[in-house]
Amino acid sequence: MGDEEQKDKPAASPSDRIPGGHKPLLRCIVKLGGAAITCKNELESINEEILESVCVQLREAMSKSANSSSGNVVSMDWSKRLGKPLVSAPEEFRNCRSLDLDSNFIVVHGAGSFGHFQASSSGVHKGGLNLPLVKAGFVATRISVTSLNLEIVRALAREGIPSVGMSPFACGWSTHGRNVASADVSHVISALHSGFVPVLHGDAVVDDLQDCTILSGDVIIRHLSQLLMPNYVVFLTDVLGVYDRPPTDPHAILLRKIAVDEDENWMIVKPKLQHEKMGVEITVAAHDTTGGMKTKISEAATIAKLGINVYITKAGTPHSLRALRGEVDDAPDDWLGTVICSSKNSIFQNTGGQV
């Protein structure tokens, strides 16, 4: 099924695939942007400080009690790390009856400095598995992105979050002409039903027409949102949100709230812009095989059209914690980020230009 067909397909009922028919309430899908959690210009380098901060904030957002300080967290990573001794099962878990977490979250992460360089240098995103370079690049790309996935799962586990890594390729996701053709989410639903937090990632996948391509994390989030209808979606990036031009421009304006209509036309609700036809300029890194911010904006618009609010903000900041908690529907003045919502859910006047 092509991408446009997938966008118009009615959302499936997750309860149909869950043993016993019980439907877990999916609170949030979180995208960890590759540019935020990795040092994107340093090959296969994780931004440890940001990743740790994001994991702490995710635990705080999931916590059912106010007492959720790092000092009370017991790690779930009991494996041996390089240069560290083997960790045995902590006694704290032996008599523990509950983790006291609302774990109905899904995490999807980008690749950043993992995978993109391997994919772009071999042309995996363009297809052609009959070529030795492409086939080797496919393997190299998957080694890179799955190694990042493991490190993110471990970082979440060290914060006491019961996370499990899920690779789209291994779970049967595939494309047709670079559009989602098959996406078996039964593994994701089963994990949620069992109280785990699924952690997916952008991946190299098989394509019916061009043999192979790259499936971006943003497309995965849009597809999961259509099928599972979360309460809200959060994109954590390396910038504060969507701007009217590249954020490096000193005249760039942060677009605080945007409404999307049925035709995916954007109306800038906040702030009021002086130029009625002001649009959004987008730049994409040369090595980025998934479209960068352009893809993110397009997928966010499709999600918002479903009636699901999308929050875009900078990872590892007080603003990202509030977004993960779902506290910023109206884009309050003391919060920095972008809220993208359906025009049906937003009462607004024509205060800005169509994007």
Side-chain angles (χ1 to χ4, degrees), residues 86-101:
L86 181 66
V87 179
S88 59
E91 288 296 323
E92 288 90 336
F93 283 115
R94 298 197 184 279
N95 298 316
C96 183
R97 293 176 178 267
S98 172
L99 295 177
D100 197 34
L101 291 177

Side-chain angles (χ1 to χ4, degrees), residues 7 218 221-223 225-226 229-235 257-267 295-312 338-346:
K7 288 186 178 183
D218 297 328
I221 285 184
R222 184 256 294 169
H223 202 77
S225 296
Q226 289 176 318
M229 296 297 290
N231 288 346
Y232 53 95
V233 171
V234 178
F235 284 83
K257 190 170 185 178
I258 299 170
V260 182
D261 66 17
E262 286 298 312
D263 296 320
E264 293 190 16
N265 295 314
W266 290 38
M267 297 300 297
T295 301
K296 195 183 310 298
I297 290 175
S298 174
E299 302 304 342
T302 304
I303 294 168
K305 195 173 73 170
L306 298 171
I308 302 167
N309 283 1
V310 178
Y311 311 132
I312 303 176
T338 301
V339 176
I340 303 176
C341 61
S342 168
S343 59
K344 292 181 180 180
N345 298 337
S346 178

Side-chain angles (χ1 to χ4, degrees), residues 16-74:
D16 293 341
R17 300 191 183 99
I18 297 177
H22 299 294
K23 178 181 177 181
L25 176 63
L26 181 58
R27 182 174 160 193
C28 178
I29 300 178
V30 183
K31 168 65 185 300
L32 306 184
I37 59 173
T38 73
C39 304
K40 203 162 185 181
N41 293 320
E42 298 179 27
L43 183 62
E44 299 190 344
S45 175
I46 297 174
N47 189 326
E48 299 285 357
E49 182 180 355
I50 294 298
L51 178 57
E52 180 180 357
S53 176
V54 166
C55 293
V56 169
Q57 290 187 348
L58 273 166
R59 174 182 46 76
E60 291 177 355
M62 294 177 186
S63 178
K64 294 179 181 178
S65 65
N67 186 18
S68 61
S69 64
S70 296
N72 298 323
V73 174
V74 184

